[in-house]
Amino acid sequence: MEIREPYGCFLTSSATDEMTHGHFKFLLKEYGPVISFLIIQILFYTWFGAYFS
Amino acid sequence: MSIVDWLVLLFTFAIVIGYGVYKSRGQRDLNSFFLSNQSMPWYLVLFAIMGTQASAITFLSAPGQAYTDGLRFVQYYFGLPLAMVVIAAFFLPAYRSSGFYTAYEYLEHRFDRKTRLLTSFLFLLQRGLSTGISIYAPSLILSALMGWDIAITNLCMGGLLILYAVSGGSKAITYTQTQQLLIIFSGMGIAGYLAVEGLPESWSFSDALHISGATGKLNAITTGINSDGFNWKDKYNLFSGIIGGFFLALSYFGTDQSQVGRYLTASSLKESRRSLLMNGFVKIPMQFLILLIGALLLTLHSSQNPPIHFNTALLEKAQKSTVGAELGELEVRHEAWAAKRTEKAELLTTYLNSGKTIPQELKDELRISNDSVESCRKAAQSLMASGVPGSDVNDTNYIFLHFVINTLPEGLVGLLIAVIFLAAWGSIAAALNSLASTCMVDWHMPLRSKARSAERELMLSRLYTLAWGVFSIAVAFLAGQLGSLIEAVNILGSLFYGTILGIFCVALFMPFIRGNAVFIAALITEFAVIFVFLSDSISFLWLNVIGCFGVLLGASLLHLLKQKKAPADARA
């Protein structure tokens, strides 16, 4: 990954190294559960409203 | 309030303040005062993030919102988990990369000082005013229903927390927020349980949900699409919640120092990230459960004859005014429709208990009677507005507190009143800490570059915290005279958040754009956002989207213009 100094863009951060090296797998493992849980909740609330109305 | 309630209230205050002051030890420099020496575990940071976001109005207003408008308000939070992912992936590494105290410090590192000062000024303006309002709004409700003096309530709401916010900084705030949230959740849980317990014996929890559902209040998901297409003025639907809510949450959690200051206290990048992602997990269910209390209150009121207006102090005033006779007639009509609603709700439970299918006509009749009760309430509000000029006739924020005062047993009333105060303290203390850090780190230190000892910097930071506390209480005192401006101040956040987010997005995602382009684009966009808001053509949630994209587009265009001009200048 290109390092774009001196602008201080997030890409320069060493803290994101794990992201830049882990690529898609890292993103999926780290952030997938949050997004999956959101989708499950939207489905649950849709069912909840339909069931009790 | 009874003696027992007062004892519970004062005991809770003493515990929280005492604990906060006890945790104040060990403050030596700016790092310990503003960042807790970056030593906090993720779960304490999570409580701090949640305690900062949830103000007193959250707990007062959300049940009332569900009572009058149903659960669809939960959609407002659908963009939040997505925002947590983006912040954890992109914003957080940038903030933690160079040991910044504030989010705006990063902007000078990335652009220049004027962009940092502009952004931090917008933050100070909106956060300073909104903190004053977050003191005044719950004080007004409490003083109206409890008959308390508004000035003393304001002082308790905004003043007592200053004791630990000034002495202990972010560490004391984080620890007290954890304690406060535990008390708040216990209090709300008990209130929800007692709302179900108050139902007639033959009505079960499931029956309560069926009754509420038949009135249409449990439809949490709405699309906002009708025969005329998408309704842009509809505040809460799936699309405005996911898109508008995403931008609002991204601005608030990603660029507002009151939140950035919380997750920067975590001991590592991983701990900060975990706290944000956990917030993405728990926020929506928490909000759903609070809203559900409101839906259950509606069922409880379906078995009773509730008042036509829940701000009983204002109702009494209106009854004595010129509209008193007309209001009396309306109350009779309201009572008749409420009785009809009770009759239909009882019939519905009979069907449920016998295992028979509920006829659609019965559900329709229950919904019509509930809608008629609501119409009477709306008509009463219009009447009261003319009978008591200048009064705020919207009683949504009074519904939950009315239930607390009139239904809960001795001792629990004191606990629930304490819940309101603690919820306010958590968000106000974090706001004061962030206002002080922005003042000290983004304004005082760069503009007065004289060398100072760590002790002096700490003392100045404490003074700034105190000064912002006094300022916020002063705003709360003045708010009583501002009247309708209160609503405008509440929308203030959405007016500025989009622009601020746009500046940060350019900083993070457009590494080729420099300070001048983003500074000019931010100024132009801010005026455009204010113009769109004044035109009243769309819901305020969309202002965040407009502000963000306005800065991104404007900065890109200015950058392109500059690039085109540069070769021409070189040739000349």
Side-chain angles (χ1 to χ4, degrees), chain B residues 237-263:
Chain B
N237 58 59
L238 192 61
F239 301 105
S240 72
I242 291 179
I243 304 168
F246 166 75
F247 279 92
L248 180 64
L250 196 62
S251 326
Y252 175 60
F253 288 98
T255 71
D256 190 307
Q257 182 57 25
S258 65
Q259 281 295 351
V260 177
R262 299 314 103 211
Y263 55 78

Side-chain angles (χ1 to χ4, degrees), chain B residues 355-374:
Chain B
K356 288 182 193 163
T357 314
I358 307 161
Q360 189 56 43
E361 300 84 61
L362 178 60
K363 286 184 182 176
D364 291 343
E365 281 169 4
L366 178 58
R367 195 177 58 247
I368 290 166
S369 55
N370 186 64
D371 289 348
S372 303
V373 169
E374 272 301 306

Side-chain angles (χ1 to χ4, degrees), chain A residues 4 6-10 13 15-16 18-19 26 30-31 33-35 37-38 41-42 45-46 48-49 51-53, chain B residues 78 81 85 88-90 93 97 106 110 209-210 213-214 218-219 221 269 273 277 281 284-285 288 363 508 511 514:
Chain A
R4 296 183 174 93
Y7 296 115
C9 164
F10 79 96
S13 164
T16 53
E18 52 183 302
M19 262 184 60
F26 171 82
E30 194 76 7
Y31 305 119
V34 180
I35 295 166
F37 187 55
L38 172 67
Q41 283 185 93
I42 293 174
Y45 297 139
T46 309
F48 186 81
Y51 181 79
F52 285 106
S53 63
Chain B
F78 282 175
V85 167
F90 302 118
S97 63
Y106 163 70
R110 169 66 177 84
L209 290 178
H210 276 287
L218 298 189
N219 291 330
I221 308 294
L269 175 77
R273 186 190 289 149
L277 294 180
F281 272 112
I284 301 175
F288 178 78
K363 286 184 182 176
L508 291 165
R514 297 202 183 204

Side-chain angles (χ1 to χ4, degrees), chain B residues 75-89:
Chain B
Q75 297 171 114
Y76 179 74
Y77 296 94
F78 282 175
L80 187 143
L82 304 174
M84 293 300 106
V85 167
V86 174
I87 294 165

Side-chain angles (χ1 to χ4, degrees), chain B residues 149-163:
Chain B
D149 181 72
I150 182 79
I152 296 170
T153 317
N154 268 336
L155 279 175
C156 291
M157 194 70 75
L160 293 175
L161 65 106
I162 293 177
L163 289 172

Side-chain angles (χ1 to χ4, degrees), chain B residues 281-301:
Chain B
F281 272 112
V282 298
K283 182 67 190 177
I284 301 175
M286 180 192 110
Q287 213 58 46
F288 178 78
L289 290 174
I290 296 172
L291 286 167
L292 200 59
I293 294 175
L296 290 170
L297 284 184
L298 179 72
T299 313
L300 180 68
H301 284 171

